[in-house]
Amino acid sequence: MDKFSDWDWENPETLAVRMDEFSAGVAGCEKLEPISGTLPHSHQDFLDLGLTGIEFAAFKTAHPNGLGTDITALTSPEASTEPGTLYRVDGERCFTQLDISRPLPFADASVDWVYAEHLIEHVPLPVALGWLRECHRVLRPEGVLRITTPDLRRYLTSYVNGDGFLGKHRRRLSMLGFGPPMPERKAFLINQIFQYYGHQWIYDQEELEYVLGEAGFAPEEVQLCAYREGLHTEIADLDTAFRSDETIYVEAYRRT
């Protein structure tokens, strides 16, 4: 039986259930070991664990000194994560379960970097603002926040100019297994970025600069970047290739 036989792209409410099933399916690992019943709090706590920063929306960060976090529980054949506990994932990376709609459980100036790939569009604007203020708070002087998210300008430019991006994006999602091929209608392909995948608010450069300014970053501390280019190579290298065609990359640098 075709696994997509009951898939209806034109019914966002029923597809939300399928999307949740997909998300749960990727939240797994082979081995999950509790490290501590408490989380690192101060900068020294992070250093004692060999950690320098936080990657949000990551079950297993690719950064060797990163703490991965996600709102969804990570599971292994024997265990499942619980908020407030620090875990080692597959013997390699640290992870904890966090809800970004709540204050971060870390001290002021406790980390050197924060990274979030395709996270901010999944929460309402007030939640995004609160989370960004928390990121500003926990960053140390000269710390860097790198955000990547679908670029509204990229979608709307393609809609107007017919440059082929929308069709390419449609084919890419199908190849990755995110459901059967979407309808080819341009209006549908614009609407899907707002309606599907749990998206709540879509950004362009101006909107990102606005929310970062509201979070406490000065205009001169915010800069537009390119894929895998930024102030620190090891942070920019966390960008994943399969999202690069639709993504805007922005860094905010906390000077003091």
Side-chain angles (χ1 to χ4, degrees):
M1 180 179 177
D2 184 355
K3 64 179 180 178
F4 299 129
S5 60
D6 62 343
W7 195 284
D8 182 3
W9 274 120
E10 298 181 10
N11 190 334
E13 291 185 4
T14 59
L15 284 187
V17 177
R18 299 294 296 269
M19 295 297 179
D20 289 343
E21 292 172 353
F22 176 84
S23 297
V26 299
C29 63
E30 295 297 321
K31 189 176 182 181
L32 198 58
E33 303 169 284
I35 300 174
S36 172
T38 59
L39 300 180
H41 184 67
S42 67
H43 178 57
Q44 189 60 51
D45 292 340
F46 275 86
L47 292 180
D48 289 345
L49 290 162
L51 302 174
T52 56
I54 306 168
E55 180 175 359
F56 289 90
F59 294 121
K60 189 176 179 181
T61 175
H63 196 294
N65 305 113
L67 170 62
T69 77
D70 198 271
I71 191 172
T72 301
L74 180 59
T75 61
S76 71
E78 293 82 24
S80 181
T81 62
E82 295 182 0
T85 299
L86 185 67
Y87 297 86
R88 184 81 64 187
V89 180
D90 293 333
E92 295 179 340
R93 301 289 188 262
C94 292
F95 174 85
T96 193
Q97 195 175 333
L98 282 182
D99 181 351
I100 67 167
S101 69
R102 299 179 178 181
L104 298 179
F106 311 119
D108 296 355
S110 53
V111 296
D112 294 313
W113 58 270
V114 171
Y115 179 89
E117 182 176 59
H118 285 235
L119 167 65
I120 194 171
E121 70 273 14
H122 289 271
V123 296
L125 188 59
V127 173
L129 286 168
W131 169 66
L132 289 173
R133 292 184 181 110
E134 283 292 280
C135 290
H136 183 272
R137 179 183 66 79
V138 302
L139 275 177
R140 290 170 54 78
E142 301 185 0
V144 176
L145 165 64
R146 184 176 179 92
I147 295 175
T148 88
T149 187
D151 186 358
L152 180 59
R153 181 182 180 88
R154 186 73 184 89
Y155 277 85
L156 298 187
T157 297
S158 184
Y159 178 84
V160 173
N161 296 341
D163 60 10
F165 162 75
L166 291 175
K168 177 184 176 183
H169 181 66
R170 170 182 173 271
R171 292 189 295 272
R172 179 174 64 85
L173 289 176
S174 182
M175 290 176 60
L176 291 169
F178 292 106
M182 291 180 178
E184 297 184 49
R185 305 188 311 273
K186 291 198 298 182
F188 176 89
L189 294 170
I190 293 296
N191 273 287
Q192 60 87 28
I193 198 64
F194 291 97
Q195 293 287 340
Y196 296 119
Y197 319 112
H199 289 177
Q200 300 284 325
W201 199 266
I202 307 301
Y203 295 78
D204 62 3
Q205 182 178 351
E206 181 183 17
E207 193 73 351
L208 285 171
E209 290 172 346
Y210 165 74
V211 293
L212 288 166
E214 290 294 301
F217 293 97
E220 63 271 17
E221 296 176 329
V222 179
Q223 66 176 13
L224 184 67
C225 300
Y227 167 67
R228 289 195 174 177
E229 293 183 8
L231 288 169
H232 300 287
T233 301
E234 74 278 8
I235 300 170
D237 279 349
L238 295 171
D239 298 343
T240 54
F242 81 90
R243 286 170 161 159
S244 61
D245 67 330
E246 65 167 335
T247 298
I248 182 171
Y249 303 89
V250 170
E251 288 188 347
Y253 174 73
R254 181 163 183 177
R255 297 181 186 278
T256 59

